[in-house]
């Protein structure tokens, strides 16, 4: 069983990983980065607007040039320099391999590889032809099914003699820090010879903002690329790999995945693209539910007087019988909202037992008398209620 290193250096067995562990959950996980990002935000917005203006014009020039031409590569490098994208190259491209297989860690992975090696990227989206042409995508019939994609890729390789096909077998962007998504086999069915390409993306401290997070939109990822000073994309070409005669398609796919994972010093997970899609869907559902709770708290009427809070405390007590009435009533005094208090009960912010000092001594301070009276009143109600419940249980037993 392979192991995946954690950020603390301790290895984690791939079988112990959860699907959520393969993705960044937050953009800024470090408190210093959060503070610095807030200070840097005005400057970042100005840089973003400047780069959008210049980068757009350079991108249009690159679109008009021949894809495999030298001038286009220089135009793309100029555009990346303007946008603060630094592309590093390691290893050598093997021209005998017609398919490049890379891990997927950002929305600009294909751009970084395309700068080093002009290649063809199959489009998996049903988008207009003009947009497909601008971004260098090729329609191989992916939206019509796997067979159309494989056959389209084989025909393209038979016709195109210069550029290889670039494939991201994971099918989704991950953090690239814990494990790879289980590879799809379509790219390895197209050609028995492939060249693995490992991609790493990093940003300097204190701009250590996650390149992508689970459930993020592409324009959000692109905003951070444009707004931050620079991002380094490291592309490493590994030796080409050939399918053995006695090797099945699944075995060949797994071997390439293991080779890439070994280079990245991570493992290959048991999760597929469908698991990742479900995780993203769950996250969106949780976020939507959280927004509804916040909106409900904002729109729910506030409790105005003691009588309303007393009645509300009794209603909540019926749903949460293990919590002390006095603890519920005291929280209502703070929140003035039934929804907020119920959420505090669910999240453990309110203790089950009575709060400290509920039945305190009467002091000479007149301002504390009302609190002592209320605490003793709710303590008496709680005690008598429990006696009544116990008597009912005894009668049922008899």
């Amino acid at each position: 069983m392979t192991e995946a290193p954690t950020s603390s250096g301790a290895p984690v067995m791939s079988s112990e990983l959860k699907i959520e562990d393969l993705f960044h959950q937050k953009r800024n996980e470090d408190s210093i980065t959060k503070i610095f990002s807030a200070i840097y935000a005005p400057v970042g917005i100005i840089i973003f607007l400047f780069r959008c203006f210049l980068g757009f014009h350079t991108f249009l020039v690159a679109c008009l040039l021949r894809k495999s031409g030298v001038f286009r590569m220089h135009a793309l490098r100029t555009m990346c320099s303007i946008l603060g994208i630094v592309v590093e190259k390691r290893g050598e491209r093997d021209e005998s391999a017609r398919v490049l297989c890379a891990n997927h860690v950002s929305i600009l992975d294909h751009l970084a590889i395309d700068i080093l090696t002009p290649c063809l990227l199959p489009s998996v989206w049903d988008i207009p032809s003009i947009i497909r042409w601008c971004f260098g995508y090729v329609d191989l019939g992916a939206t019509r099914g796997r067979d159309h994609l494989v056959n389209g890729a084989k025909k393209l390789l038979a016709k195109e003699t210069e550029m290889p096909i670039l494939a991201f077998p994971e099918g989704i962007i991950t953090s690239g820090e814990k494990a790879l998504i289980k590879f799809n086999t379509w790219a390895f069915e197209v050609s028995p010879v492939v060249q693995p390409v490992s991609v790493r993306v990093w940003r300097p401290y204190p701009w250590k903002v996650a390149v992508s997070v689970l459930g993020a939109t592409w324009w959000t990822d692109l905003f951070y690329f444009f707004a931050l000073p620079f991002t380094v994309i490291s592309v490493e070409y590994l030796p080409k790999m050939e399918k053995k005669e006695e090797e099945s398609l699944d075995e060949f796919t797994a071997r390439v995945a293991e080779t890439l994972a070994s280079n990245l010093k991570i493992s290959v997970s048991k999760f597929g693209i469908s698991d990742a899609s479900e995780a993203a869907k769950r996250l969106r559902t949780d976020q939507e539910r959280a927004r509804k709770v916040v909106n409900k708290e904002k729109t729910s009427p506030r409790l105005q007087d003691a009588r309303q809070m007393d009645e509300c405390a009794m209603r909540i007590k019926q749903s949460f019988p293990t919590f002390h009435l006095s603890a519920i009533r005291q929280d209502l005094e703070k929140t003035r909202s039934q929804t907020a208090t119920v959420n505090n009960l669910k999240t453990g912010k309110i203790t089950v037992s009575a709060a400290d000092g509920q039945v305190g001594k009467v002091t000479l301070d007149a301002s504390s008398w009302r609190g002592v009276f209320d605490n003793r009143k709710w303590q008496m109600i709680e005690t008598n209620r429990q006696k009544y419940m116990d008597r009912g249980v005894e009668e049922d037993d008899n």
Side-chain angles (χ1 to χ4, degrees):
M1 182 66 67
T2 56
E3 298 180 348
T6 62
S7 57
S8 60
V12 176
M13 301 297 290
S14 59
S15 59
E16 297 177 356
L17 288 172
K18 298 183 295 184
I19 183 64
E20 291 80 8
D21 296 333
L22 275 57
F23 306 89
H24 289 295
Q25 302 294 321
K26 299 178 180 179
R27 291 283 179 185
N28 304 326
E29 298 183 356
D30 182 76
S31 57
I32 297 179
T33 303
K34 291 180 181 179
I35 296 173
F36 191 85
S37 297
I39 299 173
Y40 175 77
V43 179
I45 293 175
I46 295 173
I47 294 176
F48 170 78
L49 296 174
F50 173 77
R51 285 175 170 172
C52 282
F53 178 77
L54 292 182
F56 176 73
H57 290 81
T58 310
F59 177 72
L60 287 181
V61 173
C63 290
L64 297 174
L65 298 174
R66 187 168 177 264
K67 188 171 178 63
S68 58
V70 177
F71 290 109
R72 182 179 183 275
M73 295 175 62
H74 286 301
L76 288 177
R77 283 188 177 276
T78 302
M79 181 188 72
C80 287
S81 299
I82 294 173
L83 300 180
I85 301 170
V86 181
V87 180
E88 295 180 340
K89 177 187 176 183
R90 298 178 183 176
E92 295 298 329
R93 164 83 175 103
D94 193 325
E95 300 296 336
S96 63
R98 302 303 313 282
V99 176
L100 302 178
C101 292
N103 61 303
H104 208 5
V105 290
S106 79
I107 59 169
L108 297 183
D109 293 343
H110 71 284
L111 175 63
I113 298 175
D114 196 40
I115 289 175
L116 303 175
T117 304
C119 51
L120 304 167
L121 180 64
S123 173
V124 297
W125 305 283
D126 188 13
I127 55 179
S129 300
I130 183 65
I131 297 179
R132 188 182 300 119
W133 172 76
C134 288
F135 287 91
Y137 295 128
V138 181
D139 183 14
L140 299 180
T143 57
R144 297 188 294 274
R146 174 193 169 87
D147 292 338
H148 286 86
L149 174 61
V150 173
N151 292 332
K154 288 181 178 180
K155 292 178 182 179
L156 181 64
L157 288 181
K159 181 176 62 175
E160 175 62 54
T161 58
E162 293 183 3
M163 293 181 288
I165 287 179
L166 173 62
F168 295 107
E170 289 180 287
I172 193 171
I173 296 175
T174 68
S175 67
E177 297 177 353
K178 298 291 181 66
L180 297 175
I181 294 287
K182 188 178 179 182
F183 277 12
N184 191 299
T185 59
W186 77 265
F188 307 94
E189 190 175 348
V190 173
S191 173
V193 181
V194 302
Q195 183 169 18
V197 180
S198 66
V199 182
R200 299 175 176 86
V201 181
W202 62 274
R203 286 168 175 154
Y205 196 80
W207 292 283
K208 199 172 179 60
V209 179
V211 176
S212 183
V213 295
L214 181 62
T217 56
W218 65 268
W219 56 83
T220 307
D221 292 346
L222 202 60
F223 169 79
Y224 284 97
F225 267 105
F226 287 6
L228 295 177
F230 69 94
T231 304
V232 180
I233 304 178
S234 178
V235 178
E236 182 175 358
Y237 292 93
L238 306 182
K240 71 175 183 181
M241 301 180 67
E242 298 185 34
K243 183 177 178 294
K244 301 176 183 178
E245 293 184 2
E246 71 280 1
E247 201 172 31
S248 67
L249 181 62
D250 289 335
E251 290 172 342
F252 180 46
T253 303
R255 183 159 63 90
V256 176
E258 288 288 351
T259 301
L260 258 178
S262 177
N263 178 266
L264 295 168
K265 294 181 173 55
I266 57 178
S267 64
V268 180
S269 72
K270 60 182 179 181
F271 303 109
I273 180 63
S274 58
D275 300 308
S277 300
E278 286 296 323
K281 189 184 300 182
R282 286 196 302 270
L283 178 65
R284 285 192 293 268
T285 302
D286 293 342
Q287 290 175 342
E288 184 64 26
R289 187 182 295 115
R291 281 194 293 269
K292 288 182 179 179
V293 169
V294 172
N295 293 334
K296 188 175 181 181
E297 289 180 6
K298 291 180 179 179
T299 56
S300 60
R302 290 179 60 82
L303 302 174
Q304 300 296 331
D305 52 38
R307 182 184 61 80
Q308 290 180 339
M309 286 186 281
D310 292 346
E311 294 175 353
C312 184
M314 297 302 295
R315 288 196 300 268
I316 296 176
K317 177 66 177 180
Q318 293 176 0
S319 301
F320 298 89
T322 57
F323 287 87
H324 201 282
L325 265 170
S326 180
I328 297 173
R329 184 61 174 76
Q330 286 182 357
D331 191 75
L332 284 172
E333 284 280 356
K334 300 175 183 177
T335 63
R336 299 274 175 166
S337 169
Q338 177 176 327
T339 304
T341 295
V342 169
N343 289 332
N344 290 341
L345 291 169
K346 291 180 178 179
T347 56
K349 295 181 180 179
I350 302 176
T351 57
V352 175
S353 60
D356 294 337
Q358 278 187 322
V359 190
K361 296 180 180 180
V362 179
T363 63
L364 296 177
D365 185 6
S367 61
S368 66
W369 294 353
R370 179 67 185 180
V372 174
F373 170 76
D374 288 339
N375 286 330
R376 289 185 176 181
K377 180 185 72 173
W378 288 107
Q379 180 69 29
M380 182 179 66
I381 294 174
E382 180 73 26
T383 302
N384 291 334
R385 181 180 181 279
Q386 189 61 45
K387 288 180 180 179
Y388 176 80
M389 297 293 292
D390 293 341
R391 186 175 64 181
V393 171
E394 291 176 358
E395 291 177 355
D396 291 339
D397 293 340
N398 294 332

